[in-house]
Amino acid sequence: MKVPLSGPDITELEIKYVNDVLKSNILSIGPVIETFEKKVAEFTGTKHAVAVNSGTSALHLIIKSLDIKDGDEVITTPFSFVASSNCILMERAIPVFVDIDPYTLNMDMDKIESKINKNTKAILSVDVFGQPMNMEYINCLAKKHGLKVIEDSCEAMGAEYNGVKAGKMCEAGVFAFYPNKQITTAEGGIIVTDNDNLADLCRSMRSQGRPITGLWLEHERLGYNYRLSELHAALGVAQMERIDEILKKRDNVAHMYSSRLKHIKEVTVPYIDPQVNRTSWFVYVIRIDEKIDRNKVMQYLLESGIGCRPYFTPIHLQKYFREMFGYKEGDFPITEQVAASTIALPFFSNLREDQVEYVVEKLQEAIKKCSR
Ligand SMILES: *Cc1c(COP(=O)(O)O)cnc(C)c1O
């Protein structure tokens, strides 16, 4: 049996909407992107949504819009996909890392304030593996010190903390739509915000710095081509119409795993903060006891046709971060300890029960073979 790590959930509806665009003759800057943006804004409960060609582009435009630049410091997590720090480097600002909480795997709240100084401009929090952060607390800290808050919810679309949707309680939030995310546009991302000015700036910069209303060859500011095509937006519209169904299917898969894995003493299943009243599963990441050789377990799973991955390599230990900032092993010990123990198991909305059973069976065999 082969079980891939991830896969999109595409139905006849997505195919129809994409075909409709192909037949419409408008392939970019048309009505479908507006429909997609409206659906996402309604879903999140924000005034605006601005769709772009990737989650990374979305983060970059927010950094630009908030005028974060050379030498400014932005507090963030080293345990994330690298884009959440790259967007800061793109404007020559400095990511300042805070070690994580070993349970939620998000930034450790108690370690944030000591990193704030006169150069700090913003907190960029990441909802890791779909678990939203306590944004009320982050906002309090930000208000006290005059900082902006950006929420990278690229992994958390649909999750709710204390009844508030991920991405909503901040200056600007971001979702991403690469095929392994909860919903996909193949490639794509979106900025959600209540701030009119920030939304306008992002709309202008995603399309070569053109004014929102104005002539095609008029350019008010440095911009980019970060536009999302109508084809991609059509995929997004169909996925948004199905998002509740998709999140429910992902919930089911997570429960199939958890009910089978929680009895295995060498395995720690994902922890969910009790304040999270709606989960949104991005990946299913387990942690393996340190007495077991994690890399050997992964090797065994791969040889058994099971996709798996060590989510994440800590950002501060990536080659160019070491070179730029002199980071080394031991700088963020909890992040490093967690990163050395994780395995992302196959996870997508159409994963079948027999596939989950096969993964669990092979995982148990691997654990028996791989104790140190
Ligand atoms: C997926 C993801 C992004 C954006 O990725 P793109 O591939 O640029 O869409 C950003 N931050 C995090 C934490 C992510 O998981």
Side-chain angles (χ1 to χ4, degrees):
M1 193 188 288
K2 277 233 182 306
V3 191
L5 181 62
S6 156
D9 182 348
I10 301 298
T11 65
E12 288 303 318
L13 188 72
E14 283 79 1
I15 294 167
K16 179 182 185 303
Y17 285 6
V18 172
N19 268 327
D20 289 347
V21 170
L22 285 170
K23 289 176 193 156
S24 78
N25 245 3
I26 305 174
L27 301 188
S28 192
I29 315 186
V32 183
I33 188 169
E34 286 177 28
T35 306
F36 180 49
E37 290 176 338
K38 214 167 135 229
K39 283 187 185 294
V40 173
E42 263 166 31
F43 179 80
T44 315
T46 53
K47 201 165 160 195
H48 306 282
V50 183
V52 291
N53 60 356
S54 76
T56 308
S57 307
L59 287 165
H60 183 209
L61 291 188
I62 295 171
I63 295 285
K64 289 275 296 188
S65 302
L66 295 177
D67 200 27
I68 292 167
K69 48 184 191 288
D70 307 62
D72 289 343
E73 294 185 8
V74 178
I75 293 177
T76 191
T77 174
F79 190 69
S80 171
F81 180 59
V82 75
S84 60
S85 287
N86 281 349
C87 65
I88 301 165
L89 294 183
M90 285 172 188
E91 292 306 313
R92 298 163 309 281
I94 302 165
V96 172
F97 294 125
V98 172
D99 210 352
I100 59 171
D101 176 293
Y103 297 99
T104 65
L105 312 185
N106 282 327
M107 268 193 292
D108 185 337
M109 300 282 186
D110 298 331
K111 292 182 182 157
I112 297 176
E113 198 164 18
S114 66
K115 303 272 177 159
I116 298 174
N117 65 47
K118 63 177 188 344
N119 296 322
T120 312
K121 287 286 148 61
I123 301 173
L124 192 159
S125 72
V126 181
D127 303 325
V128 172
F129 301 154
Q131 169 131 252
M133 287 201 65
N134 181 349
M135 296 309 287
E136 211 168 310
Y137 178 80
I138 302 266
N139 279 314
C140 275
L141 262 188
K143 201 164 172 198
K144 183 171 158 196
H145 297 278
L147 309 177
K148 303 288 189 200
V149 177
I150 305 160
E151 189 175 4
D152 179 343
S153 300
C154 286
E155 303 182 357
M157 190 175 203
E160 285 177 25
Y161 190 99
N162 254 339
V164 179
K165 281 242 163 66
K168 180 176 164 56
M169 214 197 239
C170 55
E171 197 69 35
V174 176
F175 305 122
F177 307 121
Y178 182 74
N180 72 338
K181 311 279 174 173
Q182 283 88 339
I183 67 162
T184 187
T185 59
E187 294 283 359
I190 204 161
I191 298 142
V192 288
T193 183
D194 290 326
N195 182 326
D196 300 339
N197 185 45
L198 189 142
D200 282 351
L201 279 172
C202 290
R203 282 182 197 287
S204 168
M205 285 190 289
R206 80 173 165 187
S207 190
Q208 312 285 16
R210 293 186 174 97
I212 306 298
T213 51
L215 299 173
W216 185 245
L217 291 177
E218 219 175 84
H219 303 273
E220 278 185 338
R221 56 181 62 79
L222 173 64
Y224 307 87
N225 181 355
Y226 283 172
R227 292 187 303 262
L228 187 73
S229 84
E230 290 285 284
L231 292 165
H232 295 87
L235 247 175
V237 171
Q239 295 262 289
M240 280 310 290
E241 288 178 6
R242 297 179 50 234
I243 191 165
D244 289 325
E245 170 206 331
I246 290 173
L247 294 182
K248 210 183 232 163
K249 281 161 124 183
R250 296 174 84 91
D251 255 342
N252 274 338
V253 175
H255 286 127
M256 283 196 265
Y257 270 129
S258 293
S259 61
R260 288 167 174 81
L261 292 174
K262 67 182 181 206
H263 310 293
I264 303 176
K265 70 173 194 314
E266 296 87 351
V267 170
T268 306
V269 298
Y271 168 85
I272 309 287
D273 185 329
Q275 301 284 87
V276 173
N277 40 25
R278 186 170 173 191
T279 49
S280 176
W281 291 90
F282 163 53
V283 281
Y284 193 89
V285 176
I286 57 165
R287 294 179 58 193
I288 295 280
D289 191 286
E290 54 188 21
K291 291 197 273 304
I292 311 292
D293 187 330
R294 189 267 316 251
N295 292 347
K296 274 197 189 150
V297 170
M298 286 203 304
Q299 193 57 40
Y300 187 84
L301 293 177
L302 290 169
E303 281 162 12
S304 310
I306 296 169
C308 58
R309 213 165 264 172
Y311 274 29
F312 299 105
T313 300
I315 295 175
H316 67 284
L317 297 181
Q318 301 283 0
K319 180 171 178 281
Y320 61 108
F321 274 84
R322 290 177 192 252
E323 286 167 6
M324 284 177 83
F325 300 104
Y327 285 124
K328 56 188 185 318
E329 272 86 5
D331 285 343
F332 300 97
I334 298 172
T335 296
E336 292 165 32
Q337 216 178 329
V338 168
S341 73
T342 54
I343 303 180
L345 297 176
F347 189 81
F348 46 96
S349 49
N350 292 321
L351 192 62
R352 300 186 315 262
E353 188 156 20
D354 63 307
Q355 292 176 308
V356 170
E357 266 164 11
Y358 178 71
V359 173
V360 172
E361 182 194 315
K362 290 293 160 191
L363 180 65
Q364 280 177 296
E365 286 175 21
I367 288 169
K368 277 209 195 89
K369 281 186 202 299
C370 303
S371 49
R372 291 190 212 262

Coordinates of all heavy atoms in Angstrom, one line a residue, residues 54-57 59 80-81 83-84 126 152 154-155 176-178 181 187-188 282, ligand 1:
S54 N 0.7 33.9 -3.4 CA 1.2 32.9 -2.4 C 1.1 33.5 -1.0 O 0.9 34.7 -0.8 CB 2.7 32.6 -2.6 OG 3.5 33.6 -2.2
G55 N 1.2 32.6 0.0 CA 1.2 33.1 1.4 C 2.4 34.0 1.7 O 2.3 34.9 2.4
T56 N 3.5 33.6 1.1 CA 4.7 34.4 1.3 C 4.5 35.8 0.7 O 4.9 36.8 1.4 CB 5.9 33.7 0.5 OG1 6.0 32.4 1.0 CG2 7.2 34.4 0.9
S57 N 3.9 36.0 -0.5 CA 3.7 37.3 -1.0 C 2.8 38.1 -0.1 O 2.9 39.3 0.1 CB 3.0 37.2 -2.4 OG 3.7 36.4 -3.3
L59 N 2.4 37.8 3.2 CA 3.2 38.3 4.3 C 4.1 39.4 4.0 O 4.2 40.4 4.7 CB 4.0 37.1 4.9 CG 3.3 36.0 5.6 CD1 4.1 34.8 5.8 CD2 2.8 36.5 7.0
S80 N 8.7 27.2 12.6 CA 7.7 27.5 11.6 C 8.2 27.2 10.3 O 9.4 26.9 10.1 CB 7.4 29.0 11.7 OG 6.6 29.4 10.6
F81 N 7.4 27.3 9.3 CA 7.8 27.3 7.9 C 8.6 28.5 7.6 O 8.2 29.6 8.1 CB 6.6 27.1 6.9 CG 7.0 27.1 5.5 CD1 7.8 26.1 5.0 CD2 6.5 28.1 4.6 CE1 8.2 26.1 3.7 CE2 6.9 28.1 3.3 CZ 7.7 27.1 2.8
A83 N 9.0 30.8 5.5 CA 8.4 32.0 4.9 C 8.0 33.1 6.0 O 8.1 34.3 5.7 CB 7.2 31.7 4.1
S84 N 7.7 32.6 7.2 CA 7.2 33.6 8.2 C 8.4 34.4 8.7 O 8.2 35.5 9.3 CB 6.5 32.9 9.4 OG 7.4 31.9 10.0
V126 N 2.7 33.0 14.7 CA 2.4 31.9 13.7 C 1.5 30.9 14.4 O 1.8 30.5 15.5 CB 3.6 31.2 13.2 CG1 3.3 30.1 12.2 CG2 4.6 32.2 12.6
D152 N 0.3 35.1 11.2 CA 0.5 34.1 10.1 C -0.4 32.9 10.4 O 0.0 32.0 11.1 CB 2.0 33.7 10.0 CG 2.2 32.7 8.9 OD1 1.3 32.1 8.4 OD2 3.4 32.6 8.5
C154 N -1.4 30.9 8.1 CA -1.4 30.1 6.8 C -1.7 28.6 7.1 O -2.1 27.9 6.2 CB 0.0 30.2 6.3 SG 0.3 31.7 5.5
E155 N -1.5 28.1 8.3 CA -1.8 26.7 8.6 C -3.1 26.6 9.4 O -3.4 25.5 9.9 CB -0.6 26.2 9.5 CG 0.7 26.3 8.7 CD 1.9 25.7 9.4 OE1 1.7 25.2 10.6 OE2 3.0 25.8 8.8
A176 N -2.8 30.7 3.5 CA -2.1 30.2 2.3 C -2.8 29.0 1.7 O -3.5 28.3 2.4 CB -0.7 29.9 2.6
F177 N -2.6 28.8 0.4 CA -3.4 27.9 -0.4 C -2.6 26.9 -1.2 O -3.1 26.4 -2.3 CB -4.5 28.6 -1.3 CG -5.3 29.6 -0.5 CD1 -5.3 30.9 -0.8 CD2 -6.1 29.1 0.6 CE1 -6.1 31.8 -0.1 CE2 -6.8 30.0 1.3 CZ -6.9 31.4 1.0
Y178 N -1.4 26.6 -0.8 CA -0.6 25.6 -1.5 C -1.4 24.3 -1.3 O -2.1 24.1 -0.3 CB 0.8 25.5 -0.8 CG 1.7 24.5 -1.4 CD1 2.3 24.7 -2.6 CD2 2.0 23.3 -0.7 CE1 3.2 23.8 -3.2 CE2 2.8 22.4 -1.3 CZ 3.4 22.6 -2.5 OH 4.2 21.6 -3.1
K181 N -2.4 22.7 2.2 CA -3.2 23.5 3.2 C -4.6 23.0 3.2 O -5.0 22.2 2.4 CB -3.1 25.0 2.9 CG -1.7 25.5 2.6 CD -0.9 25.8 3.8 CE 0.5 26.2 3.4 NZ 1.3 26.7 4.4
E187 N -1.5 27.4 -6.0 CA -0.6 28.3 -5.3 C -1.5 29.5 -5.0 O -2.4 29.9 -5.8 CB 0.5 28.8 -6.2 CG 1.5 27.7 -6.7 CD 2.5 27.4 -5.6 OE1 2.5 28.0 -4.5 OE2 3.3 26.4 -5.8
G188 N -1.3 30.2 -3.9 CA -2.0 31.3 -3.5 C -2.0 31.7 -2.1 O -1.6 30.9 -1.2
F282 N -4.1 21.1 10.0 CA -3.3 21.3 8.8 C -2.5 20.0 8.5 O -2.5 19.5 7.4 CB -2.3 22.5 9.1 CG -1.2 22.6 8.1 CD1 -1.4 22.6 6.7 CD2 0.1 22.7 8.6 CE1 -0.3 22.7 5.9 CE2 1.2 22.8 7.7 CZ 1.0 22.8 6.4
Ligands
LIG1 C1 2.4 27.6 4.0 C2 2.9 28.7 4.9 C3 3.2 29.9 4.4 C4 3.0 30.4 3.0 O1 3.6 29.5 2.1 P1 3.4 29.7 0.5 O2 4.0 28.5 -0.1 O3 4.2 31.0 0.1 O4 2.0 29.9 0.1 C5 3.6 30.9 5.3 N1 3.8 30.6 6.6 C6 3.5 29.4 7.1 C7 3.7 29.1 8.6 C8 3.1 28.3 6.3 O5 2.9 27.1 6.7

